[in-house]
Amino acid sequence: MSKLWISGGRRLEGEITVQGAKNSVLPLLAASILAGDEVVLENCPDLADVDSAIDILRLLGAEVKRDKDRIHINPCNAAQSEVPPAYMRRMRSSVIFLGAVLARTGSACMSFPGGCELGPRPIDMHLEALRTLGAQIVEEERNVIRCAGQLKGARVRLRFPSVGATENVMLASCTCDGETIIENAAREPEIEDLAGFLNAIGCRVRGAGSPVILIEGVKKTHGARYRVIADRIVAGTYCCAAAATGGMVTLDGVEPSHLAHLTQALEAAGCSIAVDDDRLHLQMKQRLRAVAPVVTAPYPGFATDLQAPLMAAMTVAQGQTRFIETIFENRFQHADGLRAMGADIVTDGRTAWVNGVGTLHGADTTATDLRGGASLVIAALAAHGESSIGALEHLDRGYAHLEQQLRALGAVCERT
Ligand code: UD1
């Protein structure tokens, strides 16, 4: 099992380009089977989850070629509708293929991953919404879902603005008869990116980024070339790492407005942040200060995916910061690893109190999930001495070329 070794206590300094967004490229890859001709996606990050999505596309019958950060997909022969559990289990977001495959072939048979990473991740809203569009869905043994039916536009009201459920409805409805209205839709930038891509292949989607999305079903689509947006969570992670190490970094290729809640919190903590078009400069000269309670919420609120990275930075701040996690039930698993490095964190249910300590020390830790793993990396960079982070497969799902990026910022790290 590989580990990341970090010799900490050095300020991060330098400039890096931020990768394309994992949470955009995955739905875009699923959406590519709805295109009438070849699709070229640019700015695709080099990640294990992207490889898993490509494997599913090939299994469905699409031709896929990869050329650096570009992925070429020819969906013309994508006629399969069954994805075996072994493929579905490799990443949680494979469920996004459900709506796309159903729309393309009129049926879909997939399983959804069980298990627990951040707490239960049900897909009841996805299924209920697809039923509203006319799908007949049978849940078989061992979490296998069989869907079929001629879909028809409908009014779908989500009880919570779920990112994945919003994406599945958009994918399922954009080529069916009639108009679909999604109420209480997720407003994340990745939803806008999906709408941008769907419109680029000839679909008619309006209102993405607002709570009401209107989708007019179209009969015909075409190919397109489309650039994936920058990964706001990765950008935020490097911001937190720079802040925790008293560093000075420039991030290129980002959309600063997508990070507003995080940058506001880091400014309140004492960081200087300047934005120049798609570049973000962050400088931290003194010790970080604790900030007002951080409450995670659907976009445009504070991203749950940045809770763990910011928590790592706050472990070395002066004062107490409270974190309240409202999206996932079990999203403080990184606290144990941070404590092993000397952090003072008390958790109770969905609240964590972080009492800043002067310094952290190196320790052997294990990533329990993707963003939790990122928080251990940040703490290890700030800690004095050497740390190791195991279970790197979690980090490889979301951070492309992690150690090269960290080294470009002056970190001393190695994967063994
Ligand atoms: C997406 C992101 C993930 C991020 C999350 C919240 C991707 C690939 N992943 O995940 O990084 O942390 O949004 O911003 O884009 N829920 C239900 N029933 C459902 C669906 C969701 O109860 O049918 C609940 C979930 O258990 C969770 C909450 O709704 O508590 C939010 O989930 P959702 O927005 O769907 O997250 P994902 O799309 O899984």
Side-chain angles (χ1 to χ4, degrees), residues 22-23 26 93 120-126 159-165 167 188 304-305 327-328 331:
K22 169 178 91 75
N23 289 354
L26 298 176
S93 37
R121 288 179 90 168
I123 59 164
D124 55 315
M125 274 191 268
H126 300 236
R159 68 163 196 276
F160 178 87
S162 154
V163 176
E167 290 167 345
E188 269 70 1
T304 171
D305 285 5
I327 309 291
F328 290 106
R331 209 163 195 183

Side-chain angles (χ1 to χ4, degrees), residues 155-405:
R155 179 180 288 263
V156 174
R157 185 171 173 82
L158 300 175
R159 68 163 196 276
F160 178 87
S162 154
V163 176
T166 303
E167 290 167 345
N168 249 333
V169 178
M170 289 167 78
L171 292 169
S173 63
C174 62
T175 55
C176 76
D177 272 348
E179 192 179 70
T180 296
I181 302 171
I182 312 177
E183 293 173 350
N184 201 25
R187 298 163 63 186
E188 269 70 1
E190 294 77 19
I191 299 287
E192 280 189 73
D193 212 25
L194 177 59
F197 173 76
L198 290 172
N199 288 336
I201 61 168
C203 299
R204 295 206 186 110
V205 182
R206 281 177 291 146
S210 83
V212 180
I213 301 180
L214 300 169
I215 301 150
E216 216 182 300
V218 296
K219 289 264 173 296
K220 228 173 136 37
T221 56
H222 45 74
R225 182 175 278 265
Y226 192 82
R227 189 175 170 80
V228 177
I229 55 168
D231 198 311
R232 61 196 168 99
I233 309 301
V234 170
T237 301
Y238 289 116
C239 285
C240 291
T245 61
M248 183 166 68
V249 300
T250 299
L251 303 178
D252 285 335
V254 299
E255 175 45 64
S257 66
H258 293 169
L259 284 168
H261 267 80
L262 179 77
T263 48
Q264 279 157 19
L266 289 174
E267 279 178 326
C271 297
S272 311
I273 295 177
V275 164
D276 166 15
D277 197 15
D278 68 345
R279 285 153 65 88
L280 188 148
H281 312 271
L282 182 147
Q283 185 169 13
M284 184 63 212
K285 282 195 174 140
Q286 70 274 32
R287 185 174 171 198
L288 284 165
R289 292 188 296 270
V291 294
V294 177
V295 185
T296 64
Y299 193 84
F302 191 94
T304 171
D305 285 5
L306 285 170
Q307 175 258 108
L310 183 62
M311 184 183 290
M314 289 300 125
T315 62
V316 290
Q318 190 155 29
Q320 185 186 72
T321 305
R322 186 152 55 104
F323 288 82
I324 300 154
E325 172 58 54
T326 73
I327 309 291
F328 290 106
E329 270 177 38
N330 191 15
R331 209 163 195 183
F332 291 139
Q333 294 175 80
H334 46 282
D336 280 343
L338 296 175
R339 282 189 204 106
M341 291 188 231
D344 177 356
I345 303 171
V346 177
T347 58
D348 181 11
R350 291 184 178 223
T351 305
W353 291 264
V354 179
N355 299 300
V357 292
T359 49
L360 298 176
H361 54 77
D364 291 328
T365 63
T366 304
T368 51
D369 61 273
L370 169 58
R371 308 302 171 190
S375 81
L376 300 180
V377 171
I378 294 167
L381 291 165
H384 290 281
E386 192 166 66
S387 297
S388 70
I389 296 128
L392 284 185
E393 64 277 10
H394 291 297
L395 282 150
D396 291 339
R397 287 186 36 242
Y399 293 88
H401 311 296
L402 177 64
E403 54 275 35
Q404 288 91 323
Q405 292 282 66

Side-chain angles (χ1 to χ4, degrees), residues 12-13 33 76 217 273 398:
L12 288 193
E13 276 185 4
I33 62 164
C76 295
I273 295 177

Side-chain angles (χ1 to χ4, degrees), residues 124-137 150-158 169 180-181:
D124 55 315
M125 274 191 268
H126 300 236
L127 301 184
E128 198 184 311
L130 294 178
R131 282 192 177 107
T132 308
L133 295 175
Q136 287 100 47
I137 302 178
Q150 185 80 34
L151 303 185
K152 200 165 178 323
R155 179 180 288 263
V156 174
R157 185 171 173 82
L158 300 175
V169 178
T180 296
I181 302 171

